[in-house]
Amino acid sequence: MNKSKLFLLFAIAALFYSCSNPNITDDLLDGNVIFDPSLYNPEEFLVSAKYPTPTPTDLSKHIILAIHGYSATTFEWQEFKDWSNSSSTYRISQVLLDGHGRDYASFKASRWEDWRSAITDEYEKLIALGYTKISIVGSSTGGTLILELVKSGYFNSHLPPKNLFLIDPIVVPSNKLQSISGIIGPMLVYVESDQTSEENKYWYRFRPYQTINELNAVMKTVRKGLEDGMTLPTETYLKVFHSLHDPVASTTSTVLIYKGLKTSTGAHIDAQLMDSDIHVFTRLSLRSNITPLQHANQIDAFNQIANRLN
């Protein structure tokens, strides 16, 4: 890359990154006040905590782990939880990724392996309790972490999931500047997200460059796996839903997943492009100007997921 292009790249990056320490107050998720209720009331979010001694009736139910994305919290799947409250056939376990929902320092210190460990912790607790019907749904980076579990062979030594659902998984980012965070990050410290005061309670406003590097690292791991070819566990179903005009996770992500991931029989996985221009289209709460189409997309995905959990 010549000097003029490099200078231009850094100039553009400066529009997105800050070079001073963030001004963190306690009205932000980044502050010292704990906002995510799963940390002080886990039994309302994790099936393993709510039913530590499950009955045969409990064990007959299908459990779906709901995994949020990078910088988010359990709030990202609350609408699906509320929509599913009347179901008698399945229960939702909302997992808070390690390093998330706490303070800026905890987030900054976390690695993508830490984020993943929250998923496997709950998964293994459910297996130990005797559950045999378990599925996982992940949004954005939650989907990326699910793919990494497949790539690593985790499910080869654990009970295979019945279903895996990915919502706007990020394997290739839409923002090309993200890939150079390792170069400019040490100088520019963090990214500040443009979000509302209400969203500040559920997503980190300040994203340390260290965590962006971690996100890039897990995406690179998954991309390499897809390039080499990945196979789902026997009888595990997977479907990807992706916003056609996703501003965060490029639809190239789903193209790579479709090409690089096969079922145990060698068939293609299922994929559906949604007529949408929002990232994580299943989360509409706190968004402005929700259209009938956006609501229809959300309910379409919810219904498809629920219909496989009987």
Side-chain angles (χ1 to χ4, degrees):
M1 182 180 293
N2 63 43
K3 290 183 179 180
S4 61
K5 288 184 177 180
L6 187 61
F7 176 80
L8 178 60
L9 191 59
F10 274 65
I12 295 172
L15 297 175
F16 295 89
Y17 290 78
S18 174
C19 58
S20 60
N21 291 322
N23 180 25
I24 297 174
T25 56
D26 282 344
D27 59 318
L28 305 176
L29 178 65
D30 318 55
N32 293 320
V33 175
I34 300 299
F35 283 102
D36 196 287
S38 68
L39 290 170
Y40 50 82
N41 198 14
E43 64 275 10
E44 293 302 315
F45 292 83
L46 297 176
V47 170
S48 65
K50 188 168 186 175
Y51 302 97
T53 54
T55 66
T57 300
D58 293 328
L59 294 176
S60 70
K61 296 185 184 300
H62 202 131
I63 309 301
I64 181 164
L65 278 66
I67 315 300
H68 64 79
Y70 167 81
S71 84
T73 60
T74 54
F75 180 83
E76 200 156 76
W77 281 105
Q78 189 59 45
E79 287 163 272
F80 182 49
K81 176 73 174 296
D82 294 341
W83 182 86
S84 301
N85 276 341
S86 61
S87 172
S88 60
T89 59
Y90 68 91
R91 288 173 174 155
I92 298 174
S93 202
Q94 291 167 270
V95 174
L96 179 67
L97 299 181
D98 283 4
H100 288 68
R102 296 157 174 91
D103 58 12
Y104 180 84
S106 298
F107 188 37
K108 180 179 178 180
S110 67
R111 305 194 63 182
W112 71 260
E113 292 91 346
D114 301 323
W115 310 343
R116 181 189 60 185
S117 68
I119 305 172
T120 56
D121 284 352
E122 176 65 359
Y123 196 81
E124 291 171 26
K125 285 177 182 178
L126 292 170
I127 294 172
L129 288 172
Y131 289 96
T132 58
K133 296 186 293 184
I134 308 175
S135 295
I136 313 178
V137 59
S139 52
S140 192
T141 302
T144 316
L145 293 169
I146 292 170
L147 289 169
E148 194 283 328
L149 289 173
V150 174
K151 176 195 176 295
S152 69
Y154 172 83
F155 297 117
N156 296 339
S157 57
H158 296 84
L159 177 75
K162 297 295 184 184
N163 306 281
L164 299 173
F165 304 101
L166 313 181
I167 307 295
D168 295 334
I170 183 167
V171 178
V172 177
S174 296
N175 180 3
K176 303 310 178 186
L177 288 174
Q178 183 171 321
S179 63
I180 64 167
S181 67
I183 301 172
I184 64 175
M187 294 176 287
L188 299 173
V189 184
Y190 65 88
V191 176
E192 182 174 0
S193 176
D194 181 18
Q195 57 193 37
T196 67
S197 58
E198 278 302 301
E199 289 175 322
N200 283 338
K201 299 176 183 178
Y202 304 108
W203 286 267
Y204 286 110
R205 184 175 187 88
F206 301 105
R207 288 90 186 268
Y209 84 88
Q210 292 92 339
T211 63
I212 299 172
N213 285 346
E214 292 300 314
L215 175 54
N216 286 336
V218 70
M219 285 194 296
K220 182 178 179 180
T221 296
V222 170
R223 283 197 303 270
K224 180 63 167 61
L226 293 170
E227 290 168 3
D228 294 341
M230 291 164 49
T231 304
L232 290 170
T234 302
E235 298 183 359
T236 293
Y237 171 83
L238 184 144
K239 181 162 185 177
V240 185
F241 300 85
H242 208 127
S243 293
L244 184 59
H245 305 289
D246 191 325
V248 176
S250 170
T251 51
T252 301
S253 300
T254 289
V255 173
L256 293 179
I257 295 167
Y258 186 79
K259 289 182 176 180
L261 179 61
K262 297 293 190 297
T263 69
S264 61
T265 62
H268 284 293
I269 54 93
D270 283 347
Q272 180 177 348
L273 291 178
M274 315 300 290
D275 186 4
S276 170
D277 60 358
I278 56 178
H279 183 57
V280 186
F281 69 88
T282 48
R283 192 275 296 182
L284 299 180
S285 182
L286 301 186
R287 297 190 194 270
S288 59
N289 304 316
I290 299 303
T291 67
L293 176 59
Q294 290 169 339
H295 184 70
N297 286 337
Q298 181 195 58
I299 299 305
D300 180 19
F302 286 177
N303 275 316
Q304 289 192 54
I305 293 169
N307 288 341
R308 293 198 61 92
L309 304 179
N310 295 326

